[in-house]
Amino acid sequence: MADDSPLPETLTLDEAYRAAFVMTDMYVALESSPDSGLVLFQQYLRSDPARWDDWKQAVRAALKPNGGTDPLLVNLHRD
């Protein structure tokens, strides 16, 4: 069952982290043979104490003007 409720324009760091975590879990659960690297990433998200500091570092990098390839521009057609 799809939830079509409106989404917020912004998320807190905690909410964004949980969304990335849930998306990873969803993908691993859907795949009959998920990639071992993704499974290791999922385990890292669940257990590595450094994950929160790594997450904050990744957010800082993504927010920089030249933070690398933007997957939203490269892979998605946005309105």
Side-chain angles (χ1 to χ4, degrees), residues 35-47:
D35 178 76
S36 61
L38 185 60
V39 172
L40 289 172
F41 179 68
Q42 180 190 37
Q43 291 170 352
Y44 156 77
L45 291 176
R46 291 180 181 277
S47 63

Side-chain angles (χ1 to χ4, degrees), residues 19-69:
F21 183 88
V22 168
M23 184 175 174
T24 303
D25 274 354
M26 288 170 47
Y27 183 82
V28 168
L30 286 172
E31 290 295 307
S32 59
S33 289
D35 178 76
S36 61
L38 185 60
V39 172
L40 289 172
F41 179 68
Q42 180 190 37
Q43 291 170 352
Y44 156 77
L45 291 176
R46 291 180 181 277
S47 63
D48 191 326
R51 68 188 176 270
W52 186 248
D53 287 332
D54 293 346
W55 174 252
K56 291 189 295 185
Q57 183 178 352
V59 169
R60 284 184 185 102
L63 292 174
K64 289 182 180 176
N66 295 320
T69 303

Side-chain angles (χ1 to χ4, degrees), residues 3-14:
D3 179 2
D4 292 334
S5 59
L7 295 171
E9 289 294 317
T10 61
L11 299 174
T12 66
L13 282 177
D14 288 0

